[in-house]
Amino acid sequence: MERIEHRACFEGWQDVYRHQSATLGCSMNFAIYLPPQAAHGPVPVLYWLSGLTCTEQNFISKAGAQRYAAEHGIAIVAPDTSPRGDDVADDAAYDLGKGAGFYLNATQAPWAAHYRMHDYVAEELPALIEAHFPVTSARAISGHSMGGHGALTLALRNPGRYRSVSAFSPIVAPSQVPWGEKAFTAYLGPDQAAWQAWDAVALMANVAERLPLRVEQGVGDEFLEKQLRPELLQAACDAVGYPLQLNLQPGYDHSYYFIASFIGEHVAWHAQYLHA
Ligand SMILES: N[C@@H](CCC(=O)N[C@@H](CS)C(=O)NCC(=O)O)C(=O)O
């Protein structure tokens, strides 16, 4: 593992590391913010999953989360959004292939060889982080858009792994919207029965634990009706009595200006469970 960026930030450190991922079979970058408290003892970790077209850089340069992570004594780990490298399958479109891993384990050629972002984020990355950094095993997860889908599905698929889950503008039902239909057909094949294990609305029907769950959604989001459809998550939660805090925020669009506006509230919200 090699540190490739190291910047002082709110009395802590915003770092980026490169490592060889055994799960993905390629070299990967991840960002980690270590708050000032980490110099004195281990701190809990919030995992952040970014959306389509992103790398580990978007969140750390645009969201402004470090101020709040420093205030609450929380590390934030932001992985890349897909496997990378010249021998990794790709597609010319922005919503398939590199930058669009959808936080699942692909089963179809040519994707199955490297596209295993679920196992990378749920297992390999936390094991690496907890072995090499001053952190505890208290974890929370959040993300944006495709990464909101990732946060919801990772939490729902891995009971006991996270203390709390939140999402900004998540793709809540990928099986029912164009972004998800395209990606799942490629990565998982045409049989929609296989898609349900990677769809938060479908997973909610058999949910095993009730984590604190918060969703922030801009009402001015250009993808709201066609791709995001938070009402489907609300209905799925209502059907099983799962408490969902769905905050519809008038005026906000799909961008990092929206994330920057509410990331402080989300970090504080996760902190109450991570420090409990
Ligand atoms: N039309 C957009 C769709 C992709 C998009 O909106 N990506 C969101 C996540 S779904 C994002 O975070 N983009 C990077 C950024 O804003 O820094 C594009 O082609 O970039």
Side-chain angles (χ1 to χ4, degrees):
M1 192 166 66
E2 176 196 5
R3 190 168 73 189
I4 57 176
E5 292 182 30
H6 184 55
R7 302 178 199 278
C9 188
F10 293 101
E11 299 178 46
W13 295 97
Q14 180 61 67
D15 294 344
V16 176
Y17 285 80
R18 178 174 297 152
H19 75 117
Q20 187 64 30
S21 165
T23 305
L24 301 174
C26 65
S27 174
M28 291 292 286
N29 290 356
F30 66 85
I32 180 167
Y33 178 71
L34 289 167
Q37 294 86 343
H40 308 290
V43 297
V45 183
L46 171 63
Y47 288 84
W48 172 269
L49 305 181
S50 290
L52 292 166
T53 75
C54 291
T55 69
E56 82 289 346
Q57 292 290 327
N58 298 70
F59 180 75
I60 64 174
S61 60
K62 290 182 166 180
Q66 294 93 345
R67 170 189 293 272
Y68 308 105
E71 192 179 314
H72 293 282
I74 290 171
I76 303 184
V77 172
D80 202 344
T81 57
S82 73
R84 299 285 179 180
D86 293 342
D87 62 343
V88 169
D90 198 11
D91 187 277
Y94 76 95
D95 54 2
L96 188 66
K98 292 179 197 174
F102 273 83
Y103 305 101
L104 51 70
N105 298 331
T107 57
Q108 305 296 301
W111 311 103
H114 296 280
Y115 285 74
R116 302 186 58 80
M117 287 299 289
H118 171 274
D119 285 2
Y120 176 68
V121 174
E123 288 161 25
E124 184 180 2
L125 190 57
L128 184 80
I129 297 294
E130 287 162 29
H132 291 98
F133 296 93
V135 300
T136 69
S137 59
R139 311 176 197 98
I141 192 161
S142 187
H144 173 231
S145 194
M146 174 185 75
H149 144 75
L152 295 171
T153 52
L154 263 83
L156 288 164
R157 289 175 57 99
N158 296 280
R161 189 161 289 266
Y162 304 102
R163 300 260 184 105
S164 49
V165 52
S166 77
F168 290 76
S169 338
I171 305 169
V172 302
S175 303
Q176 303 183 49
V177 303
W179 273 338
E181 288 166 350
K182 176 178 177 178
F184 283 14
T185 301
Y187 297 144
L188 303 172
D191 179 5
Q192 296 198 13
W195 299 6
Q196 306 309 306
W198 304 102
D199 182 300
V201 161
L203 288 167
M204 191 54 79
N206 296 304
V207 64
E209 71 178 347
R210 274 155 176 69
L211 287 185
L213 168 59
R214 172 175 179 157
V215 170
E216 221 69 36
Q217 175 64 60
V219 176
D221 188 320
E222 56 274 35
F223 299 112
L224 180 58
E225 286 93 9
K226 198 174 167 202
Q227 305 280 11
L228 306 178
R229 305 186 62 189
E231 72 282 1
L232 296 176
L233 183 64
Q234 182 71 72
C237 288
D238 289 347
V240 295
Y242 193 120
L244 163 67
Q245 184 183 339
L246 172 60
N247 299 323
L248 299 174
Q249 303 291 0
Y252 291 91
D253 68 13
H254 196 64
S255 71
Y256 267 87
Y257 294 99
F258 172 53
I259 298 169
S261 301
F262 292 96
I263 194 67
E265 288 184 29
H266 279 241
V267 170
W269 182 83
H270 285 288
Q272 66 186 306
Y273 305 109
L274 287 170
H275 290 305

